[in-house]
Structure formats: C-alpha cells, structure tokens
Amino acid sequence: MGKRIAIAGLSVLLLGGVVSAADAQAHSIVVPQAEPKLPEGPGRKEFVAQCRTCHSSRYVTSQPAFTRKAWEAEVTKMMKTYGAPVPAAQVSSIVDYLVTLNGTGK
C-alpha cells in the first residue's frame, strides 16, 4: 500500500517557454510505503497514540538500541523541548515499549 502523489504543473518554465495550465498534464505515481510492523507488547497502544503522531515506525526502529534511562531522556526531551503532548501517566508505558522494541536490556 502506498501514498499517491499528484504532480501537476500550473505554469512551468520549460526551455525558456511557459506552459499554461491547460497544456499541463497531471501525472500520478504510487510511492511504496514500507513501514515495519510494530510487535505487540505492553505500552504499544500508548506508543502508537502518542509517538506515531510525529514519528514513523521506521524512524523509531532505525535508532540505536538505548538503555531504559536513555529512552526516558528521549521521551522527556520530546515533551519538554518539542512540546509533545504526552500525558505524564503514559510515559512509563511508552518507555517500557521502547525498551522492549529497541532497548539494550540494561
């Protein structure tokens, strides 16, 4: 499943000439979307609800494996520095999931 991107030129400068909107053709391409499937686990629901608003699964899974303390710091940074509206009651569950998903085990 992918996202559709429509490409249309309203007025395109082409080799010194201008193509009018009437002459422009709309083209459609399908961009593949290869998001990793997130495994089930405690805190997954909270993670998806809060973190996937801004981050793709791929972005999170491409991070290096962090310790629990480092994941706590990342979630805190998202909240305090970037204004992520994560309820304080969900932080622990989110960190649990991040550690399970991509933690060092330390």
Side-chain angles (χ1 to χ4, degrees), residues 57-79:
S57 300
R58 172 130 356 259
Y59 181 76
V60 175
T61 59
S62 69
Q63 300 303 308
F66 290 141
T67 63
R68 175 175 209 74
K69 187 174 181 175
W71 278 122
E72 288 170 348
E74 287 298 308
V75 173
T76 300
K77 176 176 72 176
M78 294 302 127
M79 294 167 63

Side-chain angles (χ1 to χ4, degrees), residues 79-93:
M79 294 167 63
K80 292 188 177 185
T81 303
Y82 298 109
V86 177
Q90 292 185 7
V91 170
S92 180
S93 295

